[in-house]
Every structure is written in C-alpha cells, then in structure tokens.
Amino acid sequence: MSRFLLITDSHPLESRLQACIDSAVPGSLYRVGAGAASQPPGDVLRRSLGEPTDVVVIGPDVATDTALRLASGLAASAPDVAVVLIAESDEDPELMRSAMRAGIRDVAPADADPAALRLAIERACAAVDRRRHPADADSARPRAEVITVLSPKGGVGKTTIATNLAVGLARVAPQRVVVVDLDLQFGDVASALNLEPEHVITDAAHNAAAQDSVVLKAYLARTEHGVYALCGPRTPAEADHLSPEQIGFVIDQLAVEFDYVVIDSAPGLGEHLLAALERTTAAVWICGMDVPSVRGTNNALAVLSELQLVPRGRHTVVNLADKRSGLTIGDIESTLGAPVDVVIPRSRTVPLSTNRGIPHLADGRHDSAFRGLSKLVDRFGAEEQQRLRQLHRREVVA
Ligand SMILES: Nc1ncnc2c1ncn2[C@@H]1O[C@H](COP(=O)(O)OP(=O)(O)O)[C@@H](O)[C@H]1O
Ligand SMILES: [Mg+2]
C-alpha cells in the first residue's frame, strides 16, 4: 500500500492521478494546494493526514524553482520518499538535469497519457521499495531485453525489422520500448519512423545525459506508436568521436529505464556493434535469400563466437524471401547449422511503408510480411511480457 501526496491546485490532475493509482498499485492519494510546496519539507509531509507519505507528486502549477527546492529538501531529510515532478514538458534537458540533481525520480509531462503517468507512479513506488529493502532490490528488478538486429550486409531489412519489432513490442509494453540507431553513419531509423528528432545519439553520449537514465530520456524522440527512439547522427562525420565505451554506457542506461532496448545496426561487425553485443541478450540475425548473404551471416557468427560475443538468445530471420531465388530455407538452415525461426517474404507493401515512415506493423495491412513480422514480435512479446508483469507486481507491491 503506497501513500501519495499530490501538491497542486488542480482537481482534474487529482482525478487523473487517482485513476492511475487505482489501476497501477494499491495506494491512496492525499492532495494539498500548490502553496504548500513553499513550506519546509517536514511540514509538507506532515500535511498528509493519516498515513505517512511514500511518494510526493508535484504538480505543474508549482513554480519550477520551488519544486526543485522542495525535492532537494526531501532528498536530504526524507531520502526514502520518492518525488515525481509533473512539468509542462519532459523534453527539456536542462530541466531534466536540474530535476536529477534535486533527486527527482521521474518527470512526467502535464499532458502525459495514462500509460506514461502510470509508469512514473510504478517507478516511484519501485524506487521507494528499493530504498527501503535494498537486499531484495536486485533480484526483483526485471532485466531489460536488449535485442540487437544485425547482419553483415546492407539492404537486407535490418532497419525495417528493428523498427517494426519496436512498434510491435510497444503494443505489449507501451512506452517501455526504445529503439537505438547504431548505424552511426547512414542510420535511417528516424526516417523509418517519420521522426525529426531534436536530439540524436551523439548529443546523448557526449552530454551529462549519459550519466543518468532519467536525463537520458529527454534526449529521445517519441513516436505515436508508444516507441522511444535514440536516432542516429545528422551527418556521418558526427559519429567520428563516439567511442564504443560511450555507446555501451548509453545502452546500459537505457536498459535501466526500458523493458526492451531494440538496437538497429550498421552492416559489418564494427567496434560500436561489438560494444552493443556485450550488452545484448538476444540477437536477431537478418539474412537475405542469396548465397553471399547466407555466407556472410555464417562468417559473422564464426567471428563472434571466437570473440565469445554470441548473445544468449539467437533468432534467425530470412527476409525478402522469394521462392524463385534458387535457394530453399532448408539450404540456408544447413549452411547456418541452425533453424530459421521466421521467414518474411518479399512484399510490395513494405517499401511503401518505409517510404511513408509508417512501420508496416502500424499501418495494418495483414499480408504475409505482416504475419512474419508479427511472429518475430511474438518470440519476445507474449511470454516475456507475462514474466515482466509478474516481476513488476512483486517489486511494486512488496
Ligand atoms: N520483406 C520485404 N519486402 C520488400 N521490401 C523490403 C522487405 N524488407 C525490407 N524491404 C525494403 O528493403 C529496403 C532496405 O531495407 P532496410 O531495412 O533499410 O535494410 P538495412 O537496414 O539492412 O540496410 C527498404 O526499402 C525496405 O523497404
Ligand atoms: Mg539500415
């Protein structure tokens, strides 16, 4: 049972928060006016009648300076109380940095949809729980699935599949999926998702954002499908100064905030990809239906196994499948020495969705490519989601 203290004059916000709490966690809500935020932290906590406060939620009608001052005071005097700030926007890196310094656990935008608000609430409760029961925290924290989509060749559908996988997973885990563009020179995740990002991976890796997962979120773009995206650099030269360590660190931070980190990669086995593979829990190998593609995949697998970088989960996808190619799925399986898990046929509609910037799984045409992509999503979605849900529940309720 968690106790929330909401500081705002807004009754509509109170109702929205109450509805979210009712759907997310066992908990009760007590509201005090925005003016209370100027009082000393101890006095603010005493305003909550009845039960002691676990989570303080500061409304957008409290001035930012006052909110940050209160949060810092609470961090010092009541460190096991979590603070959530509801601000006009959560896309201002400066605000996110100040919020982090003030010990604020999460910033939700004032117009957050119920899923996003619920997520902030669940996270705050989980943070309180971790602070109060540090011993159980590690075992209770669900581990993110870090999925890297890779192939030694270009043009085989990595970006198409990574973006569709992210959109499909966001159906089971809304707001909990981030797609990362690791094709640092010619990445096109932004274009595949019709995004014009304000910040890109280089901004995130070079700035203090990389030090904190909450701040890092301000550097992500968001799609209408509930997917977050860390897009590739604007020009190929921009990527020159990004080190593999920086990439690894960014992925580690994203894995704290999200349930699924889907990484789209560049052709080949560059050092940035190797850094990503060190953190990868499942690799999705994309192979075309031609001899060079199959051989390339086989060689890449051999190199990674020498480097001991073959991720635990392995999923093999044959994309652009075409009966007239002269190769069969059986031929590919015997060369790779492993079963092909998903076959995605060459489809006329996929290039159309690429050109429109609307992933095929989001635009609703249920052709055989749609079925193939859905099957890939299901390999991660269904069972995994059940497991995460149980872990979340345990963590939040304990
Ligand atoms: N199953 C498919 N059927 C038809 N076209 C596809 C299919 N998968 C990908 N494509 C198209 O192939 C092109 C290259 O795909 P992309 O995902 O960018 O490859 P990569 O990221 O491996 O370079 C895109 O125009 C995309 O629309
Ligand atoms: Mg690509």
Side-chain angles (χ1 to χ4, degrees):
M1 183 80 177
S2 302
R3 173 67 153 193
F4 293 81
L5 176 64
L6 170 64
I7 307 177
T8 185
D9 291 329
S10 162
H11 291 284
L13 177 61
E14 181 181 9
S15 315
R16 278 174 54 213
L17 190 64
Q18 182 70 62
C20 275
I21 292 169
D22 291 346
S23 70
V25 289
S28 62
L29 175 66
Y30 191 85
R31 184 186 67 82
V32 295
S38 317
Q39 296 173 347
D43 293 358
V44 176
L45 292 179
R46 272 189 290 278
R47 295 282 300 271
S48 167
L49 300 180
E51 299 157 54
T53 299
D54 298 299
V55 180
V56 172
V57 183
I58 307 177
D61 50 344
V62 173
T64 306
D65 285 355
T66 311
L68 295 176
R69 205 172 323 114
L70 174 61
S72 303
L74 285 167
S77 62
D80 60 349
V81 169
V83 180
V84 174
L85 176 66
I86 302 195
E88 288 311 327
S89 156
D90 64 344
E91 291 176 7
D92 172 357
E94 198 40 56
L95 171 65
M96 299 301 271
R97 256 193 295 275
S98 319
M100 177 199 67
R101 275 192 227 111
I104 291 176
R105 172 66 205 131
D106 226 321
V107 179
D111 60 355
D113 61 24
L117 200 53
R118 188 189 146 127
L119 193 59
I121 285 165
E122 285 183 353
R123 285 210 187 107
C125 290
V128 169
D129 202 45
R130 273 200 294 279
R131 287 172 200 170
R132 291 184 185 163
H133 309 282
D136 328 327
D138 279 347
S139 57
R141 219 193 88 65
R143 194 162 152 35
E145 184 87 271
V146 179
I147 305 168
T148 298
V149 179
L150 74 168
S151 136
K153 301 276 175 194
V156 294
K158 288 181 295 301
T159 304
T160 306
I161 289 167
T163 48
N164 275 287
L165 181 57
V167 166
L169 287 172
R171 294 228 172 103
V172 280
Q175 319 289 344
R176 296 186 183 194
V177 182
V178 61
V179 56
V180 180
D181 196 344
L182 261 204
D183 187 345
L184 295 174
Q185 291 196 303
F186 300 106
D188 43 16
V189 164
S191 149
L193 292 171
N194 196 19
L195 291 169
E196 285 184 19
E198 203 173 318
H199 309 287
V200 296
I201 192 164
T202 28
D203 307 323
H206 288 311
N207 282 297
Q211 304 304 316
D212 185 272
S213 54
V214 178
V215 182
L216 181 55
K217 268 186 108 174
Y219 284 81
L220 308 177
R222 249 179 271 180
T223 75
E224 59 190 287
H225 318 293
V227 172
Y228 283 81
L230 186 52
C231 297
R234 298 169 193 90
T235 63
E238 231 184 278
D240 287 353
H241 305 293
L242 264 186
S243 70
E245 289 73 27
Q246 285 173 312
I247 294 295
F249 200 72
V250 166
I251 295 170
D252 286 340
Q253 295 291 317
L254 291 172
V256 172
E257 284 298 310
F258 291 90
D259 290 348
Y260 295 98
V261 181
V262 179
I263 300 173
D264 181 25
S265 62
L269 295 175
E271 53 180 0
H272 295 111
L273 177 62
L274 298 185
L277 284 172
E278 281 175 5
R279 276 107 184 145
T280 295
T281 55
V284 176
W285 288 90
I286 314 297
C287 182
M289 222 165 169
D290 53 284
V291 171
S293 186
V294 181
R295 281 214 186 116
T297 304
N298 209 24
N299 292 342
L301 266 165
V303 173
L304 290 189
S305 104
E306 249 170 55
L307 296 172
Q308 298 190 321
L309 276 178
V310 178
R312 177 169 46 79
R314 172 171 164 183
H315 308 256
T316 305
V317 177
V318 170
N319 187 30
L320 294 157
D322 191 337
K323 285 204 185 78
R324 291 158 299 179
S325 70
L327 279 186
T328 65
I329 296 297
D331 297 335
I332 297 176
E333 289 181 329
S334 63
T335 307
L336 297 181
V340 167
D341 301 299
V342 176
V343 177
I344 305 176
R346 184 180 290 279
S347 136
R348 267 187 295 157
T349 48
V350 171
L352 291 178
S353 39
T354 302
N355 294 340
R356 287 162 60 213
I358 305 174
H360 194 50
L361 283 186
D363 80 358
R365 264 170 255 173
H366 289 234
D367 61 358
S368 50
F370 187 103
R371 285 192 292 277
L373 289 165
S374 303
K375 188 173 168 200
L376 179 63
V377 173
D378 289 345
R379 291 178 70 81
F380 297 98
E383 217 175 277
E384 182 64 15
Q385 194 49 26
Q386 183 65 19
R387 186 182 71 84
L388 287 171
R389 240 187 245 125
Q390 278 165 358
L391 285 169
H392 271 297
R393 199 164 300 139
R394 228 191 307 151
E395 185 182 14
V396 170
V397 174

